[in-house]
Amino acid sequence: MLVNVHRVVIVGGGFGGFYATKALRRAEAEVTLIDRRNFHLFQPLLYQVATGSLSPGEIAAPLRALLRDQKNARVLLGAAVGLDTSGKRLILDGGEIRYDTLIVATGARNFYFGHDAWESEAPGLKSIEDAMRIRGRIFYAFEAAERETDAKLRRAWLTFVIVGAGPTGVELAGALAEIARDTLRKDFRSIHTAESRILLIEGGPRLLSAFPDDLSAAAERSLTRLGIEVHKNARVSGVDRDGVTIEVQEGQQRIEARTFVWAAGVAAADFAGIVAKATGVKQDRMGRMMVNPDLTLPGHPEIFVVGDAANLEWHGHPLPGVAPVAMQQGRYAARAIKERLAGREPKAFRYLDKGNLAVIGRAAGVADFGRVRFHGWPAWLLWLTVHLTYVAQFRNRVLVFVRWGFQYLTFDRGSRIIPEREQEWEQKIDGQ
Amino acid sequence: MLVNVHRVVIVGGGFGGFYATKALRRAEAEVTLIDRRNFHLFQPLLYQVATGSLSPGEIAAPLRALLRDQKNARVLLGAAVGLDTSGKRLILDGGEIRYDTLIVATGARNFYFGHDAWESEAPGLKSIEDAMRIRGRIFYAFEAAERETDAKLRRAWLTFVIVGAGPTGVELAGALAEIARDTLRKDFRSIHTAESRILLIEGGPRLLSAFPDDLSAAAERSLTRLGIEVHKNARVSGVDRDGVTIEVQEGQQRIEARTFVWAAGVAAADFAGIVAKATGVKQDRMGRMMVNPDLTLPGHPEIFVVGDAANLEWHGHPLPGVAPVAMQQGRYAARAIKERLAGREPKAFRYLDKGNLAVIGRAAGVADFGRVRFHGWPAWLLWLTVHLTYVAQFRNRVLVFVRWGFQYLTFDRGSRIIPEREQEWEQKIDGQ
C-alpha cells in the first residue's frame, strides 16, 4: 500500500455510502466503508419483505461481496460512536480510524414526532428486522383471529392501520389488501380474510404528496377500489395495544385494531447529532444537517454529508429522502474528492430529478416525469422494470423475477414465516 | 359439518404430523393440526440456511397454504400444554380441544446430555431461529477476525468447532469449509479465510455411525481433503465462550475458539413428558415414548405417537430420528385410523428402509442402499435429486434449483445477513 495515500472513511453502506465507495474505484485513495450491518439493503423493496413477497436475503447483499474486486476499498463492521474533528479521527465501538476526508451517509431512522412509546405498537419500516416484525404481526393477526371466539376481538385482529400515505404506506396498504383478498382467501376455516378492514391514515390533505394532484387522486381511487379506507387530514393522537385514536374534522375517532404500521415519518439517524455537535453545524427539526452546496459542512470542507443525513435546499425545498438523491449525492462526493485530489475545486451538487414512481397493489401504479405522467398498469410495469434493473446490481434479478412471476400467476406469497420473537410479543399482549 | 364425525387432533406439523394430516384427506374425520409455528419446516435442508445457501422462506412453507384444499382439515396456531386422557381433551395455551384420536408428532429438541448451559455458546440446529443464530455467528466470526489486531484472538475467531459427526455435523463441516475456502476468499483484506480451522468432534469411533464402515471412511477422507480436522473418540467436557475442552485418549485438550455448533444429540420435545405423565407410559433416556407395534401407547389405543417423539424397536434398535421414519409413521397412523373407522384392526407398523444419504461439501456424498452403496459425486447428485423432489411438494423447487445452480457456478452464497440479535450477542461477548 502507498504511504500517505489519501484516506477516505465512509460511514454507512446504504445508497449514499455504497455508491460513493463504488465511485471512488479509480481514485488515488484508500477507502474504508463502515457499517453496523454486513449488508447493503435495497430499501425500496423492504415493504415486499414485510408483506411476505420476498425474503430478506433477496434485498440484502453483503457489502464485502459487492466490493470484493475494488482493491482500494475495505469494509469494516462497526458502529461510529464519536468524532474528533481536530484529530480527524472517527471513534468506533472498540477502536478508531483516521480520515483525510469523511463521508457521513448514516441515513434515517423511524420518527414518531415525540411519541417514541408508539414504536413498540406501531413499528416503522427502515430495517430488515422492522420488516420481519411487521410481517410477523400481519400474519399472526390472521392466526389469532382464526382462534378468537369473541366477535369484537376477532374484528380487532382483522383491522389493520397504516399511518402515513407516502409511497411506503400506499405500497403496504396495497399489498395488505392483496394478502387479505387473494393470498389467504382459502387458507382459513373460521374467518373470511377478505372482510379485513385496512385503514390508511394521512395527516395531509392528499396521498403521495410528492406527486402531482391528479396522480394522488388516481392512487386514492386505486386504493379505494381495493377496499382500503383512506382517511385524509387525520392526525393520530394515540396508539395503544387495543387501537388508535385519530383526530379528524368531525372530532375524535377511535379505531379498535391490533396491527399498526408506522409510515409517517423518518428522522436522521443518531450519528448526525454526534457530527453536528462536533462541528457546530445546524440540524433541521428532523435532525438532518444543513450542508453547503457542495455537500460539505460549514467550516469543514473535509466532511461530506449525503443522503437522508443531509438537508440541502433545492428550488426552495429540502431534497426528499429517497434513494436517487442519496445515490447522486454519494457519487457527487466521490467526484468532488477526485477533483480535489487533482487540484481542482468541485462545482456545486446538482440534483437531476429522474421522476417518481409508486405501486399500488397488483398491476397498478403512478408515474410522474414532470410533463409526462400516467397511472395504472403502465406505471406498474415501469416500476417493475426499474426495480429489477437496480436489484440486478445485487445479483438477484433472476430470483426476484422468478418469485414475482410465480406470485403474479398464483397470488401466493412464499415468505410467510412468523418469527418466534413476534409470536412471543403477540402472546404477551394476549396474556395481559 | 357432520355431527359426531370422528375428531382427529394432530400435535406438530413436521414430517410426522403433516403427512398424517395429508393421509387423512379422504377419511371420514375432522382433522385439526396444531403447531406452535405457522409453517412446515423441511429440516434436512436447515444446515443450508445455517450456512447461507438458502433463505428460511425456501425451506418453510405455511401449513395453512399446504392444506388449503383439504376440506376436512384445519390448522391452529397454538402450543399444547396439557392432556386430559379421561376427558379426551388436549389443553392449549388459551383454550382446549376435544379429540377422539390424538396423534402426537411433536418431534425433537436439542439435547446437551445434562449440560444445558452449553446451549447459549453452542446452539443446535433444530429450528429456523437456530439456523439464523448459527449463520449469524459464522459470518460474524469472520467480521470480528478482520477487525481484530491481536493474532491469538484472531486465530480464535477463525476457529470453528462442530460437535457431533452425524449427517448434520458432517454437512455443516463441509459447507463451512467451502465458505472459508471459496465463498469468502476474496472478501477480506486483513485475514485469509482459507486458513480457518474447522474441527469436527465425534464421541464415537467413526463418522456417520448410521452408515456402513466403508462409507464412514470415505466421508472422513472427503472431509480431511477439505482441510477439516476430524477428532474421533473425543468427548466434549467443557464449552465456554473462549473455547472447548475435549477428552481424547492422550488426555485433555483445550481448543481456543469462538464459534461452536452442537450437532451431537437430540431428545424428544417437552410435550412427550406431558403425555408420558398423563398416560403412565415409559420414556427412554432421550425422552422418547415406548410405543406399541401399532404406534399407540400402552392402554391408550386412541393415542398414536410418531416420529422423534416415539421409540419403536426395529430389528433390535430404536428407529432413527430421520424424516423418512416420521413420514412413514405419520402415514401409518392415518391409515390405522381409517382402518378402525371401517371396523378393521390395523396391522403393526412396518418400516421400509429406502436408504441413507449424506453430502459432504461440494459434489461429494455417501449413499447407502444396503447392498448397493457408493460415494463421491454420484451420491451427491442423488442427494440433490431426492431433495429437489421433496422440496417440490412445497412449491419452491424452481427457486431452490436456481439458487443452487448459481451457487454451484459462482461459489457464492446469497444469504449472509447477520441478524441484529446475534450481533448484539457477539458484542456482549466482546465487551466482557
Side-chain angles (χ1 to χ4, degrees):
Chain A
M1 215 169 290
L2 292 172
V3 187
N4 285 334
V5 69
H6 191 85
R7 292 165 300 189
V8 181
V9 172
I10 300 173
V11 190
F15 285 102
F18 175 63
Y19 282 89
T21 308
K22 287 226 307 185
L24 285 165
R25 168 181 286 265
R26 291 197 182 77
E28 281 284 338
E30 188 189 298
V31 183
T32 306
L33 177 59
I34 295 166
D35 200 294
R36 286 181 303 170
R37 309 301 300 272
N38 69 325
F39 51 85
H40 172 78
L41 183 64
F42 195 78
Q43 285 206 19
L45 290 179
L46 208 45
Y47 84 95
Q48 295 223 349
V49 174
T51 51
S53 289
L54 293 177
S55 288
E58 281 159 337
I59 64 162
L63 283 166
R64 241 171 236 303
L66 295 174
L67 295 167
R68 180 180 293 158
D69 299 324
Q70 185 169 336
K71 294 297 171 212
N72 71 345
R74 61 174 178 150
V75 176
L76 274 192
L77 184 73
V81 297
L83 180 63
D84 165 20
T85 52
S86 55
K88 293 192 178 171
R89 293 182 313 145
L90 180 73
I91 317 300
L92 304 176
D93 52 336
E96 59 171 58
I97 184 166
R98 283 169 191 281
Y99 61 85
D100 297 306
T101 302
L102 179 71
I103 302 180
V104 178
T106 43
R109 58 170 177 83
N110 297 310
F111 184 54
Y112 290 85
F113 303 103
H115 297 278
D116 287 350
W118 296 353
E119 179 154 25
S120 66
E121 315 295 341
L125 188 58
K126 287 304 288 178
S127 69
I128 284 285
E129 279 77 13
D130 285 345
M132 292 304 286
R133 194 170 300 140
I134 291 170
R135 180 202 286 183
R137 292 188 187 184
I138 288 172
F139 288 107
Y140 184 82
F142 293 103
E143 298 290 339
E146 173 86 351
R147 273 183 63 161
E148 184 59 64
T149 48
D150 179 285
K152 193 165 159 281
L153 292 177
R154 179 180 280 189
R155 194 87 205 111
W157 277 116
L158 291 177
T159 303
F160 301 85
V161 179
I162 296 163
V163 185
T168 301
V170 166
E171 284 162 356
L172 268 174
L176 197 42
E178 193 185 321
I179 289 172
R181 290 160 49 120
D182 300 314
T183 311
L184 299 183
R185 197 163 49 95
K186 292 183 186 164
D187 283 12
F188 291 84
R189 302 289 182 257
S190 311
I191 58 170
H192 295 285
T193 60
E195 289 169 9
S196 301
R197 229 182 128 192
I198 301 163
L199 295 96
L200 184 61
I201 313 288
E202 167 60 35
R206 61 192 182 88
L207 313 187
L208 299 174
S209 59
F211 286 78
D213 279 344
D214 54 338
L215 291 184
S216 291
E220 187 172 343
R221 282 195 304 276
S222 294
L223 290 171
T224 309
R225 238 189 335 261
L226 289 172
I228 293 157
E229 297 174 34
V230 178
H231 293 258
K232 291 173 294 187
N233 295 310
R235 202 174 54 79
V236 172
S237 60
V239 181
D240 57 66
R241 95 171 82 93
D242 297 324
V244 294
T245 308
I246 59 175
E247 314 284 331
V248 287
Q249 240 174 337
E250 303 81 44
Q252 217 175 49
Q253 206 182 320
R254 171 78 182 171
I255 298 154
E256 304 287 322
R258 287 290 178 99
T259 314
F260 319 99
V261 182
W262 189 259
V266 294
D270 295 339
F271 186 64
I274 293 170
V275 177
K277 208 169 166 193
T279 57
V281 74
K282 262 185 274 180
Q283 291 176 278
D284 66 12
R285 66 186 183 88
M286 283 150 71
R288 297 178 298 192
M289 288 176 271
M290 312 302 292
V291 295
N292 293 328
D294 66 353
L295 305 181
T296 60
L297 294 182
H300 289 279
E302 80 284 7
I303 302 180
F304 290 86
V305 181
V306 302
D308 289 356
N311 176 331
L312 182 72
E313 290 278 325
W314 189 256
H315 298 319
H317 296 285
L319 282 172
V322 295
V325 171
M327 283 168 58
Q328 290 182 32
Q329 293 188 336
R331 287 198 182 115
Y332 167 85
R335 255 195 330 269
I337 291 167
K338 287 193 280 189
E339 291 282 308
R340 283 194 200 157
L341 288 175
R344 293 186 291 268
E345 202 46 40
K347 292 193 198 113
F349 170 74
R350 291 179 58 84
Y351 175 56
L352 178 64
D353 187 351
K354 292 185 183 165
N356 227 337
L357 283 167
V359 285
I360 305 143
R362 203 179 168 71
V366 290
D368 170 30
F369 299 94
R371 282 189 210 166
V372 180
R373 50 193 195 233
F374 48 97
H375 58 91
W377 67 263
W380 174 81
L381 207 63
L382 183 65
W383 179 93
L384 204 71
T385 312
V386 168
H387 283 77
L388 277 177
T389 309
Y390 272 100
V391 169
Q393 303 186 18
F394 311 105
R395 282 168 324 183
N396 289 316
R397 176 160 47 174
V398 179
L399 282 174
V400 171
F401 189 75
V402 169
R403 286 202 65 165
W404 283 353
F406 266 111
Q407 194 173 307
Y408 188 78
L409 296 173
T410 63
F411 288 87
D412 218 336
R413 281 160 194 269
S415 303
R416 278 158 55 184
I417 295 174
I418 300 176
E420 204 168 29
R421 206 179 199 176
E422 276 332 286
Q423 225 167 280
E424 283 161 14
W425 183 88
E426 298 286 1
Q427 276 157 7
K428 230 173 283 160
I429 289 186
D430 264 5
Q432 274 174 339
Chain B
M1 214 168 291
L2 292 172
V3 186
N4 285 334
V5 68
H6 192 84
R7 292 164 301 188
V8 181
V9 171
I10 300 173
V11 190
F15 284 103
F18 174 64
Y19 281 90
T21 308
K22 287 225 307 185
L24 285 165
R25 168 182 285 266
R26 291 200 181 76
E28 281 284 338
E30 188 188 299
V31 183
T32 304
L33 177 60
I34 295 166
D35 200 292
R36 285 180 306 170
R37 310 300 300 272
N38 69 325
F39 51 84
H40 171 80
L41 183 63
F42 196 78
Q43 284 206 22
L45 291 178
L46 208 46
Y47 85 95
Q48 296 224 349
V49 173
T51 50
S53 289
L54 293 177
S55 289
E58 283 160 334
I59 63 160
L63 283 166
R64 246 174 229 305
L66 294 174
L67 295 168
R68 182 180 291 158
D69 299 324
Q70 186 170 334
K71 294 299 171 209
N72 72 344
R74 62 174 177 148
V75 176
L76 275 191
L77 184 73
V81 295
L83 181 63
D84 165 18
T85 51
S86 55
K88 291 191 179 173
R89 292 180 315 146
L90 179 73
I91 317 300
L92 305 175
D93 53 336
E96 58 169 62
I97 184 166
R98 284 171 190 279
Y99 61 85
D100 296 308
T101 302
L102 179 70
I103 302 180
V104 178
T106 44
R109 58 170 178 82
N110 297 309
F111 183 53
Y112 290 82
F113 303 103
H115 297 279
D116 287 350
W118 295 354
E119 178 153 26
S120 66
E121 315 295 341
L125 188 58
K126 288 303 288 179
S127 69
I128 284 284
E129 280 76 15
D130 285 345
M132 293 305 286
R133 194 170 300 139
I134 291 170
R135 180 202 286 183
R137 292 188 186 183
I138 289 172
F139 289 107
Y140 184 82
F142 293 103
E143 298 290 338
E146 174 86 349
R147 274 183 61 163
E148 184 59 65
T149 48
D150 180 284
K152 193 166 158 279
L153 292 177
R154 180 180 280 188
R155 196 84 207 113
W157 276 117
L158 290 177
T159 303
F160 301 85
V161 179
I162 296 164
V163 185
T168 301
V170 165
E171 283 162 355
L172 269 173
L176 196 42
E178 194 185 323
I179 289 173
R181 291 158 50 119
D182 300 315
T183 311
L184 299 182
R185 195 163 51 96
K186 293 182 185 163
D187 284 11
F188 291 83
R189 301 289 182 258
S190 313
I191 58 170
H192 295 284
T193 59
E195 290 170 8
S196 301
R197 232 184 124 190
I198 302 164
L199 294 95
L200 183 61
I201 313 289
E202 167 59 37
R206 60 190 181 91
L207 313 187
L208 298 175
S209 59
F211 286 77
D213 279 343
D214 55 338
L215 291 183
S216 290
E220 186 171 346
R221 282 196 304 273
S222 294
L223 290 170
T224 309
R225 240 188 335 260
L226 289 171
I228 294 158
E229 296 174 35
V230 179
H231 292 259
K232 292 173 292 187
N233 295 312
R235 202 173 53 81
V236 172
S237 60
V239 182
D240 57 68
R241 92 171 85 92
D242 297 323
V244 295
T245 308
I246 57 175
E247 314 285 332
V248 285
Q249 238 174 339
E250 303 81 46
Q252 218 174 49
Q253 203 179 323
R254 170 81 182 169
I255 299 154
E256 303 287 320
R258 287 291 180 99
T259 313
F260 318 99
V261 182
W262 188 260
V266 295
D270 295 340
F271 187 63
I274 294 171
V275 176
K277 207 169 164 192
T279 56
V281 73
K282 263 185 271 180
Q283 290 176 279
D284 66 13
R285 67 189 183 89
M286 286 150 71
R288 296 177 298 190
M289 288 176 271
M290 312 302 292
V291 296
N292 293 328
D294 66 353
L295 304 182
T296 60
L297 294 181
H300 289 277
E302 80 284 8
I303 303 179
F304 289 86
V305 182
V306 301
D308 289 357
N311 176 331
L312 182 72
E313 290 276 328
W314 189 256
H315 297 318
H317 295 287
L319 282 172
V322 294
V325 171
M327 284 168 57
Q328 290 183 31
Q329 292 187 336
R331 288 199 183 114
Y332 167 84
R335 256 199 327 270
I337 290 167
K338 286 193 280 189
E339 290 282 307
R340 284 195 201 158
L341 288 175
R344 292 186 292 267
E345 201 48 37
K347 290 191 199 115
F349 169 76
R350 291 179 58 85
Y351 175 57
L352 177 64
D353 187 350
K354 292 183 185 168
N356 228 336
L357 283 167
V359 286
I360 305 144
R362 203 177 168 72
V366 289
D368 170 31
F369 299 96
R371 281 186 212 171
V372 179
R373 52 194 192 231
F374 48 98
H375 58 91
W377 66 263
W380 175 79
L381 207 65
L382 183 66
W383 180 92
L384 205 71
T385 310
V386 169
H387 282 78
L388 277 176
T389 308
Y390 273 101
V391 169
Q393 303 186 17
F394 312 105
R395 280 166 326 179
N396 287 317
R397 176 161 48 175
V398 178
L399 283 173
V400 171
F401 188 75
V402 168
R403 287 202 67 165
W404 283 354
F406 266 110
Q407 193 172 305
Y408 189 78
L409 296 173
T410 64
F411 288 88
D412 218 337
R413 282 160 193 269
S415 303
R416 280 158 52 183
I417 295 173
I418 300 175
E420 205 167 30
R421 206 183 201 176
E422 274 334 284
Q423 224 165 280
E424 285 162 12
W425 183 87
E426 298 286 1
Q427 275 156 9
K428 228 172 286 158
I429 289 186
D430 265 2
Q432 275 174 337

